[in-house]
Amino acid sequence: MKPMNIPFVSFLPMEHELDAELRAAFERVYRRSFYIGGPEDSAFEEAFAAYCGADYCVGCGNGLDALLLILKAYGIGEGDEVIVPSNTYIATALAVSYAGAVPVLVEPRRETFNLDPAGAEAAITPRTKAIIAVHLYGQTAEMTALREICDRHGLKLIEDAAQAHGARWNGVRAGALGDAAGFSFYPGKNLGALGDAGCVVTNDKALAEKVRALGNYGSDYKYHHIYKGHNSRLDELQAAFLAAKLPHLDKMNAERRRIAGRYLAEIHHPEVTLPTVLPQCEPVWHIFSIRTPRRDALEAWLASQGIGTGKHYPIPIHRQKAYQDLNLEAGAFPIAEEISATQLSLPMFYGMTEEQITAVVAAINSENW
């Protein structure tokens, strides 16, 4: 039988379905000729804050900037430490570095890929100011335990919610689980712009106001600068696109859960380990991540069958040249290293057909790899 062509991700089904709404959003902004800090931005911020169940949303340029602005707004910088997962995308650590603080890496749980609360507490020192809980692959971190740890030690709990738009922990959506949350709206996210974009979500009014000023050259009103700020704002066009997509997010996340449900129920190859979902968590499956000691063989086999895959992330942070200054040798974080060597991401996108899902499952369950 001829192999199918199944991409790792495709935007086409979603973009086709929302074509008229996205074009209308563009026309509305274009005709208004107002491109920064206008009504589209304000409307999206209000809608996304309400969606997350939080009081405030402040748009910014991207997800990395969102985390950086949170850290700077909290006054976290030189001489401080911030705990981050050892297996996260490098942007989480970069935000800490750009703020002038030191990222302290802590191992995740193999089963969920998310930060181990016990390990996080063990890494706390007098210099620790915050824990960044990454909701990796769309499954929320163990926020109840992390909240208790942060309260006990007087730390800020920051969510890296870049992959978790709409995910819940104990019924509460990402964005309303910590003191503040940074979101990315990179096009591939569950809620993606048509370019780079991000935001900060919080219930802290003072923090929201400072984040907004910091992202606008440190200005609280025109030509009045109270901080040495940045240029990181959500432009009107991306805000309009995001506002058009937001009402459809829950439906699209439900489709991802349906696809994941089939993967979880039907993949049964003895050398494949499926992700574990904690009972408190309602994931949105930004990534469906499996592990196998024969990752490269499976990757090659799936490619031969026309099935696209991804690796998240093949080189852990402590082994990146960019972080050689941390002086962390191979073996320092064995769980992160094991995940990086065995993790494979399966096709996961809105609009996948039953036939495509069946083909992915059959290829993984095959004895041919």
Side-chain angles (χ1 to χ4, degrees):
M1 186 174 70
K2 184 179 179 181
M4 297 184 70
N5 179 22
I6 305 174
F8 171 61
V9 65
S10 174
F11 304 144
L12 294 178
M14 177 270 296
E15 290 175 348
H16 177 75
E17 186 173 312
L18 301 184
D19 181 78
E21 292 173 69
L22 294 172
R23 289 179 184 275
F26 170 81
E27 290 292 337
R28 191 169 63 248
V29 174
Y30 184 65
R31 290 170 183 164
R32 189 182 287 127
S33 296
F34 194 149
Y35 301 112
I36 299 289
E40 301 288 346
D41 191 7
S42 298
F44 172 72
E45 289 178 347
E46 182 177 348
F48 193 65
Y51 177 84
C52 294
D55 293 336
Y56 305 99
C57 171
V58 181
C60 61
N62 53 68
L64 170 54
D65 283 359
L67 294 176
L68 172 60
L69 292 170
I70 292 169
L71 292 167
K72 295 195 77 169
Y74 278 135
I76 295 172
E78 187 174 353
D80 296 332
E81 296 176 350
V82 177
I83 291 171
V84 303
S86 59
N87 63 317
T88 186
Y89 183 55
I90 197 171
T92 315
L94 287 175
V96 178
S97 298
Y98 291 165
V102 176
V104 175
L105 304 178
V106 170
E107 294 271 61
R109 296 192 193 277
R110 286 182 180 86
E111 299 80 10
T112 65
F113 302 102
N114 276 329
L115 186 64
D116 180 355
E121 185 162 29
I124 294 171
T125 75
R127 293 186 175 185
T128 307
K129 294 296 186 292
I131 295 174
I132 299 182
V134 181
H135 305 318
L136 201 64
Y137 307 147
Q139 179 168 188
T140 49
E142 296 175 49
M143 296 302 288
T144 303
L146 291 171
R147 178 77 275 171
E148 291 172 356
I149 290 166
C150 286
D151 289 347
R152 191 157 56 242
H153 294 274
L155 307 178
K156 296 298 183 183
L157 179 56
I158 300 168
E159 299 174 69
D160 181 339
Q163 301 181 2
H165 313 74
R168 289 185 171 95
W169 176 265
N170 281 333
V172 179
R173 278 198 171 118
L177 292 164
D179 295 301
F183 283 88
S184 166
F185 299 121
Y186 182 77
K189 305 301 185 185
N190 292 37
L191 180 62
L194 303 189
D196 267 325
C199 77
V200 172
V201 173
T202 184
N203 288 320
D204 185 337
K205 181 180 180 181
L207 178 78
E209 290 175 348
K210 190 169 183 179
V211 164
R212 189 176 299 281
L214 283 168
N216 187 34
Y217 297 99
S219 173
D220 53 350
Y221 60 89
K222 195 167 185 178
Y223 300 133
H224 184 258
H225 303 271
I226 53 179
Y227 311 111
K228 295 175 181 175
H230 302 260
N231 176 17
S232 183
R233 299 170 295 194
L234 177 61
D235 71 67
E236 286 287 279
L237 192 56
Q238 299 305 336
F241 290 144
L242 290 167
K245 287 184 171 185
L246 181 58
H248 305 274
L249 178 58
D250 284 346
K251 176 182 70 175
M252 294 181 177
N253 282 342
E255 275 294 285
R256 289 174 176 268
R257 292 190 186 100
R258 182 184 66 83
I259 298 164
R262 286 202 56 191
Y263 284 160
L264 290 168
E266 298 175 32
I267 294 173
H268 52 72
H269 194 285
E271 292 186 271
V272 169
T273 300
L274 297 170
T276 296
V277 179
L278 299 178
Q280 303 94 324
C281 184
E282 186 179 325
V284 291
W285 301 107
H286 173 62
I287 297 291
F288 191 93
S289 176
I290 63 174
R291 289 186 292 121
T292 173
R294 299 179 57 223
R295 190 264 306 280
D296 293 346
L298 177 56
E299 180 184 31
W301 164 247
L302 293 177
S304 76
Q305 300 303 298
I307 298 171
T309 56
K311 294 192 285 285
H312 298 82
Y313 304 96
I315 305 174
I317 293 171
H318 71 285
R319 302 304 297 151
Q320 297 281 359
K321 185 176 180 180
Y323 276 103
Q324 62 185 1
D325 58 311
L326 294 179
N327 297 313
L328 296 168
E329 301 295 331
F333 295 94
I335 297 177
E337 292 175 30
E338 177 188 330
I339 290 172
S340 72
T342 61
Q343 187 275 346
L344 191 67
S345 303
L346 304 184
M348 171 62 70
F349 55 90
Y350 177 77
M352 274 191 81
T353 67
E354 296 292 342
E355 185 182 17
Q356 288 175 321
I357 301 167
T358 297
V360 173
V361 170
I364 294 172
N365 286 339
S366 168
E367 297 179 357
N368 291 334
W369 59 278

